[in-house]
Amino acid sequence: MKILVTGGLGFIGSHTVVELQNEGFEVIIIDNLSNSSIEVVKGIESITGKEPIFEQMDLRDKQKVRDFFSAYDDIAGVIHFAASKAVGESVEKPLLYYENNLGTLIYLLQELVKKGRANFIFSSSCTVYGQADELPITEDAPVKPAESPYGNTKQVGEEIISDTCKVNPQLAAIALRYFNPIGAHSTAKIGELPIGVPQNLVPFITQTGIGLREQLSVFGDDYPTPDGTCIRDYIHVVDLAKAHVVALQRLLEEKHEENFEVFNLGTGQGSSVLEVIQSFERVAGKKLKNKVVARRPGDVIQAYADTKKANEVLGWKALSTLDDAMASAWKWEQKIRK
Ligand code: UD1
C-alpha cells in the first residue's frame, strides 16, 4: 500500500518513514531539501533494508503537485510533515510561513478531494494551546491566540482541514498535536539535523556537550514551577513516529464516525529545563556548562499532555523515558561529529 510522506527526510518525517516501511507500507517521499539532506535516504535504507521512492519537489508548485497525483493515482494515505518550523523566523518572514505551511496544505487537499476516498495526517503542535489553563492538557482545551505566524499556521491548518472534511465525507483526516519531540533512531543512522544554531533545547544541549557551543543558556529560573524553569513534555521521536503509523491504520480501517480528529502526542510527563540538563548529565556522564539568563519572550510556563485519548482511541502510548530519548540524542550527536 502506497503512502506519501511529505517532508519525509526531516526529523520526524524520516523516523516515520522507517516505522511505515517496517510495517510493510510502500513509502514515497516528497521533500524539497530546504531543511534536510539527501543522505537521509541512505540512513532510512540502511535501517529498513528498503530504499523509499524519493521525489525532490517543492509543494508550493501547484502544477507539480497535480502532476504528482496524476502519476501516482493509487496513494492510500498522505502524511504531511513538510513545513517551516522556526518560530523566530516566522515572525521575520510571515508570508514565507503562510505560503509554505498553508499554501502547500491547500494544494494537497485540493488533489485529495478530487480522489474520492482519501486519508490525511497533519503535523500539528501543542503550540495551539498556548499557556493552557489546566494541566495536563486535553484535546478539549481551548485553542489560544497564536504567539507567532508559525503557531498560527498550525491553528489555521487544522481549521482548513476541519472545514474541508465537513463538506467532503470521503476525506478522513487526523491532526496530531506534538508536544516536544527529541531523540534519534537507536541505530544513530537518522536523527535531528538542525541548521545553524539550534533553537530547541535538546539539540542545543547535545551540541554544547560535544563542544560546538560554549554553554547552554537556561531561559529563566523564576517561573512559578518547582525549580523555577519551564516545564515541557519531551517525547522520543520514535514513539512519535509509531503514533503516525497507528493513526494511519485507523484512517485505513474506516470504522470511525468522525472524519476529522485531533490527538495529543506526548508522554504525559512534564520535565523542567533543569531536569533535562540532569538527564543529559546522567546519560553522557559529564557536566553540562550552563548559565541562567533572561526569560525567552513567548515561552509558556508549563505544557504537558493528557494522553488518554491517544492511549484509548489509537491504542498508542509513548514507551521511552526522558533518559532513553536523551541517550539516543547524545549517541546521534557523537556520531555526526566524528
Ligand atoms: C518551541 C516553539 C514551539 C514549537 C516547538 C517546535 C517557541 C517559543 N516555541 O517549543 O512553538 O512548536 O519549539 O519544536 O519557540 N530552552 C532553554 N535554552 C535554550 C533553548 C530552550 O532554556 O537554549 C528552554 C525553553 O525556554 C523551554 C524549553 O527549553 O522552556 C524547551 O524549548 P524548545 O525546545 O525551544 O521548545 P518549546 O519552547 O516548547
Side-chain angles (χ1 to χ4, degrees):
M1 198 178 273
K2 286 199 184 90
I3 306 299
L4 168 63
V5 180
T6 75
L9 299 185
F11 176 42
I12 308 171
S14 58
H15 288 83
T16 301
V17 171
V18 165
E19 298 306 321
L20 286 168
Q21 294 198 158
N22 283 344
E23 288 296 315
F25 289 102
E26 192 181 335
V27 177
I28 302 152
I29 294 172
I30 290 181
D31 199 300
N32 68 359
L33 300 178
S34 64
N35 192 15
S36 59
S37 159
I38 188 72
E39 294 296 307
V40 177
V41 176
K42 286 194 200 133
I44 293 168
E45 186 183 2
S46 167
I47 295 168
T48 62
K50 206 178 157 204
E51 189 181 350
I53 300 168
F54 170 61
E55 300 259 359
Q56 184 175 347
M57 190 198 295
D58 196 313
L59 293 165
R60 289 174 294 181
D61 188 332
K62 190 173 180 170
Q63 189 56 47
K64 284 212 175 125
V65 177
R66 274 193 194 147
D67 294 345
F68 175 86
F69 281 96
S70 305
Y72 292 96
D73 59 358
D74 55 348
I75 301 265
V78 177
I79 307 184
H80 181 41
F81 293 102
S84 300
K85 61 173 186 180
V87 176
E89 185 188 45
S90 79
V91 176
E92 303 294 319
K93 300 175 182 167
L95 294 178
L96 176 73
Y97 273 66
Y98 289 119
E99 185 186 31
N100 263 348
N101 295 8
L102 298 181
T104 62
L105 173 65
I106 291 167
Y107 297 160
L108 284 171
L109 291 175
Q110 282 172 334
E111 295 310 307
L112 291 182
V113 298
K114 285 186 205 160
K115 272 170 61 77
R117 176 90 199 137
N119 299 304
F120 189 74
I121 294 178
F122 179 63
S123 290
S124 190
S125 167
C126 67
T127 195
V128 301
Y129 299 117
Q131 180 57 69
D133 301 323
E134 284 174 40
L135 292 161
I137 304 173
T138 70
E139 288 81 354
D140 296 329
V143 166
K144 293 272 177 79
E147 290 271 350
S148 69
Y150 160 78
N152 206 25
T153 65
K154 295 300 172 190
Q155 295 189 2
V156 177
E158 287 192 8
E159 286 169 10
I160 290 171
I161 299 165
S162 164
D163 290 344
T164 310
C165 282
K166 274 181 204 145
V167 290
N168 291 280
Q170 295 273 75
L171 176 66
I174 288 179
L176 298 174
R177 294 175 174 167
Y178 312 148
F179 281 67
N180 290 55
I182 62 164
H185 197 265
S186 59
T187 59
K189 288 179 173 169
I190 54 171
E192 195 168 4
L193 284 168
I195 290 176
V197 181
Q199 304 301 307
N200 294 117
L201 179 63
V202 170
F204 203 102
I205 287 179
T206 56
Q207 288 197 6
T208 307
I210 207 91
L212 266 182
R213 313 277 155 214
E214 202 196 319
Q215 65 179 353
L216 171 76
S217 295
V218 174
F219 297 142
D221 69 348
D222 56 353
Y223 284 99
T225 60
D227 66 21
T229 63
C230 291
I231 291 177
R232 296 287 184 276
D233 183 339
Y234 296 91
I235 174 171
H236 196 306
V237 66
V238 173
D239 279 330
L240 191 66
K242 287 181 175 160
H244 290 75
V245 178
V246 291
L248 176 70
Q249 282 161 341
R250 176 172 172 80
L251 292 177
L252 294 169
E253 277 167 14
E254 294 186 40
K255 278 189 210 137
H256 47 286
E257 284 168 20
E258 298 283 321
N259 69 335
F260 176 64
E261 297 174 299
V262 299
F263 293 96
N264 285 342
L265 296 181
T267 66
Q269 177 79 42
S271 303
S272 72
V273 177
L274 296 186
E275 285 169 337
V276 177
I277 295 171
Q278 285 155 11
S279 169
F280 172 81
E281 292 180 339
R282 264 194 307 276
V283 304
K286 59 159 120 176
K287 286 275 162 207
L288 187 84
K289 211 173 160 213
N290 67 87
K291 184 176 121 200
V292 175
V293 300
R295 292 180 178 195
R296 179 171 70 178
D299 267 344
V300 302
I301 306 165
Q302 297 197 58
Y304 51 94
D306 185 318
T307 61
K308 196 162 168 252
K309 188 176 176 193
N311 297 161
E312 290 180 357
V313 180
L314 296 178
W316 167 90
K317 199 173 185 322
L319 299 175
S320 297
T321 63
L322 176 62
D323 281 7
D324 295 335
M326 185 61 83
S328 69
W330 180 230
K331 184 175 170 188
W332 167 248
E333 187 72 59
Q334 289 171 289
K335 186 194 150 199
I336 57 176
R337 305 301 163 194
K338 259 190 192 149

